[in-house]
Each structure stands twice: as C-alpha cells, then as structure tokens.
Amino acid sequence: MKRLLLPLILGLLLPMVAQASDKDFKVRDTCARLSIKEISGKEAMKLLNLSFQGIGQEQYHFRAKSYCLKYKRNL
C-alpha cells in the first residue's frame, strides 16, 4: 500500500508543477524580449495578459516593464 501511495501523489502533483514552470517561462521570456526591445510594450502587455484600461499608448512600455520588475522581485 505504501509503495502505491507515493507514486500516486507524485502523479497528481507533477502536472501542476509543470504548468507553473511553463507559465514562469512565458513571463520571463516576454520580460527578456521586452528589455532587449525585441517586442513593443503593447505586445508585451498582450502576452502578459495585462489590462489596457486607463492608460495611454506612451505608458504601455512602462506598465509592462514595471510588471516584470515586480515579478522578478517576488520570486
């Protein structure tokens, strides 16, 4: 019984761990591409699923960049 419990628990938790690392990769990749100016602030906001409400076009880059800085800080 104990032999089956550990593989069962690992099997249930493994997809959640893989999904979290996939999302983490997407955010880090988007932030890196934004910092080297490969993509615009508007594209980064779309990829990061950030809201466009209440901001002007000139603030897209600033909003995406500040999200990336706070994301890195919370790791």
Side-chain angles (χ1 to χ4, degrees):
M1 185 70 169
K2 289 181 183 179
R3 292 181 194 174
L4 295 175
L5 188 59
L6 184 62
L8 179 64
I9 292 172
L10 290 176
L12 293 173
L13 294 177
L14 193 59
M16 288 187 283
V17 171
Q19 184 180 13
S21 64
D22 185 44
K23 288 180 183 178
D24 185 49
F25 173 77
K26 287 179 183 178
V27 172
R28 287 177 179 236
D29 181 55
T30 301
C31 291
R33 291 171 58 200
L34 177 67
S35 69
I36 62 170
K37 296 183 170 95
E38 187 177 309
I39 60 174
S40 68
K42 188 172 185 177
E43 290 174 275
M45 286 187 66
K46 284 181 184 177
L47 292 170
L48 295 170
N49 295 326
L50 299 177
S51 173
F52 289 94
Q53 294 178 344
I55 62 169
Q57 244 182 350
E58 65 279 350
Q59 293 179 333
Y60 291 152
H61 184 79
F62 176 74
R63 175 79 58 97
K65 191 73 171 174
S66 64
Y67 176 85
C68 289
L69 290 174
K70 289 177 184 174
Y71 182 82
K72 287 180 186 177
R73 233 184 271 156
N74 289 330
L75 289 179

